[in-house]
Amino acid sequence: MSQRQLAMVMDLNKCIGCQTCTVSCKTQWTNRNGREYMYWNNVETYPGEGYPKKWQELGGGFDEAGDLKAGVVPSLQGEYGVPWDYNHDELASGAEFKPHVDPKWGPNWDEDEGAGDFPNDNYFFYIPRICNHCTNPGCLSACPRDAIFKRDQDGVVLVDLDRCQGYRYCIAGCPYKKIYFNPRISKSEKCILCFPRIEKGLPPACAQQCVGRIRFVGFLDDEEGQVYKLVKKFKVALPLRPDYGTESNVYYVPPTEAPPKFDASGKIIEGSTRIPPEVLEKLFGKEVHEAARTLRAEMKKRKETGESELMDLLIAYKHEDMFRLDNNYYAEYAKSKGLPAIKPVDERYLSGKYTSKMKFFAKGAHA
């Protein structure tokens, strides 16, 4: 159990599926060296099969007795899909524009498809997903090497690459399938919540770049913070699939507003809602109904009186107000533990210990 727990809240009512968060994470962490197929952050359309394909059906997590449930490791050819590129260099010579492999699946393969009959009752919404940095991580429990740990200072879940032997039990144990195997180094890798940025008082890249301002970041015990108020005070932010038993620390404000349905003659069905309540209950648990009532009541209050603390929080007038981070906290923590001063980047990534030198930069390769 860590001393404090850093958490993120995402307001799904504001997510427009632009994938800016995905790109910011991809370009910073996973666009090279065996990580090409990894998406530490991705934005899925729901209903949809997600990434990896049908991840909700691949097992892992804990049963009601607290025992780890069996899970499977997704395959690159099946559930992830082999990353592909196009033959841009051959187009000038008249070649047909085509991918270098036959694509079968990939992130956002079913983007914006959703469910229902257009335009009468179809619907979809977006779910951005990162590692949930769970309080009771399935990946940690599954690892026989004790290579996965929660940081004491903020509860961020990391992989010790020196201890990891690439067994991949962690992937099977994670019900969210947010830990990946790097075939280049034979190690497991995952979202690190941009801890080098966090330690300097900066939000994770995905949150910083979010144009919809849907992501709040802060400590769960900070009673003045937005994360605390959304999760614990107003109780409108809920974990994804709480039935997995991992006690996720990424929370979601569920989608509450959608256009009404139309009948066969094209007339509005008054009082109808496009997103089935049972769909939201499956994703966020029974608490989703009370959360939706609170959100609608506060919207009504704001409309009638012009005042609502909850609506002000969710509107997020200033982007910097969405992040309650303190680099001094990390500096003082390191000092109290007698640890070296915080460095800008984790040494293992800085030194490239497990990464082969790129041939373009090898001595004499460009001569």
Side-chain angles (χ1 to χ4, degrees):
M1 181 68 74
S2 54
Q3 288 186 2
R4 302 188 75 189
Q5 181 62 58
L6 201 60
M8 182 181 290
V9 172
M10 304 191 202
D11 184 355
L12 299 186
N13 292 287
K14 297 167 70 178
C15 183
I16 58 175
C18 66
Q19 305 287 351
T20 305
C21 52
T22 304
V23 174
S24 67
C25 178
K26 191 70 180 166
T27 54
Q28 182 147 339
W29 299 111
T30 63
N31 64 347
R32 57 199 177 275
N33 299 336
R35 305 184 188 108
E36 290 81 358
Y37 81 99
M38 299 182 194
Y39 284 82
W40 291 359
N41 178 105
N42 70 305
V43 182
E44 299 175 357
T45 296
Y46 196 87
E49 297 192 282
Y51 187 83
K53 188 176 185 180
K54 297 184 178 179
W55 62 267
Q56 294 189 68
E57 302 174 15
L58 299 182
F62 301 91
D63 60 22
E64 292 183 353
D67 296 323
L68 193 63
K69 297 168 66 176
V72 300
V73 179
S75 71
L76 184 62
Q77 292 75 20
E79 288 81 12
Y80 293 116
V82 178
W84 69 91
D85 203 347
Y86 291 90
N87 59 333
H88 298 93
D89 295 340
E90 300 173 358
L91 297 182
S93 59
E96 177 188 2
F97 185 56
K98 59 182 180 181
H100 81 282
V101 297
D102 183 17
K104 301 294 185 183
W105 189 256
N108 309 316
W109 189 271
D110 53 0
E111 188 172 44
D112 290 358
E113 288 185 6
D117 298 322
F118 177 82
N120 295 333
D121 61 0
N122 62 303
Y123 75 97
F124 66 80
F125 53 90
Y126 301 111
I127 300 182
R129 295 205 305 123
I130 65 172
C131 166
N132 293 288
H133 297 278
C134 304
T135 299
N136 186 27
C139 60
L140 186 155
S141 295
C143 178
R145 287 277 301 168
D146 291 334
I148 300 177
F149 62 100
K150 280 182 72 68
R151 299 209 315 175
D152 193 45
Q153 58 268 52
D154 54 17
V156 171
V157 177
L158 297 176
V159 179
D160 184 336
L161 296 182
D162 288 329
R163 293 195 60 82
C164 178
Q165 293 295 309
Y167 296 153
R168 286 171 269 187
Y169 291 113
C170 54
I171 303 173
C174 173
Y176 301 97
K177 296 298 173 269
K178 272 299 179 182
I179 186 164
Y180 302 83
F181 179 70
N182 186 331
R184 287 280 298 275
I185 60 174
S186 196
K187 309 282 185 182
S188 291
E189 297 185 308
K190 60 180 288 301
C191 161
I192 60 174
L193 205 58
C194 287
F195 73 82
R197 291 177 57 88
I198 291 285
E199 291 176 352
K200 299 175 75 173
L202 300 171
C206 59
Q208 177 73 66
Q209 298 297 326
C210 178
V211 298
R213 296 187 182 184
I214 78 162
R215 302 191 185 214
F216 301 83
V217 183
F219 288 94
L220 275 174
D221 62 354
D222 178 7
E223 296 187 5
E224 297 302 316
Q226 299 92 332
V227 166
Y228 175 88
K229 291 180 179 178
L230 293 171
V231 174
K232 297 183 178 296
K233 180 179 178 180
F234 293 105
K235 302 184 188 304
V236 295
L238 306 168
L240 180 64
R241 294 302 304 262
D243 55 307
Y244 288 157
T246 62
E247 300 180 47
S248 166
N249 288 299
V250 172
Y251 298 84
Y252 297 87
V253 178
T256 56
E257 300 305 310
K261 296 179 183 179
F262 300 107
D263 63 19
S265 61
K267 294 182 179 179
I268 290 176
I269 302 175
E270 297 294 342
S272 60
T273 178
R274 290 192 176 229
I275 304 176
E278 59 271 23
V279 168
L280 297 178
E281 185 172 319
K282 177 185 176 182
L283 291 175
F284 306 111
K286 293 181 178 178
E287 291 76 10
V288 73
H289 305 300
E290 185 59 34
R293 280 192 288 271
T294 300
L295 287 165
R296 292 190 177 110
E298 290 292 322
M299 282 189 278
K300 183 174 183 289
K301 175 184 172 184
R302 177 60 181 267
K303 185 177 181 180
E304 294 175 350
T305 69
E307 296 182 356
S308 168
E309 181 186 2
L310 176 57
M311 290 298 106
D312 286 344
L313 281 175
L314 293 173
I315 290 170
Y317 293 99
K318 294 181 180 179
H319 199 195
E320 60 267 28
D321 289 346
M322 302 180 73
F323 315 121
R324 294 268 296 186
L325 300 166
D326 183 358
N327 59 322
N328 288 330
Y329 163 70
Y330 286 99
E332 289 299 319
Y333 180 88
K335 185 178 178 180
S336 69
K337 297 293 182 181
L339 301 173
I342 293 173
K343 298 180 180 179
V345 181
D346 179 69
E347 286 184 345
R348 289 168 295 190
Y349 290 93
L350 186 65
S351 63
K353 183 177 179 180
Y354 299 105
T355 303
S356 300
K357 186 173 291 184
M358 293 179 66
K359 64 179 180 180
F360 301 107
F361 298 103
K363 186 177 181 180
H366 59 285

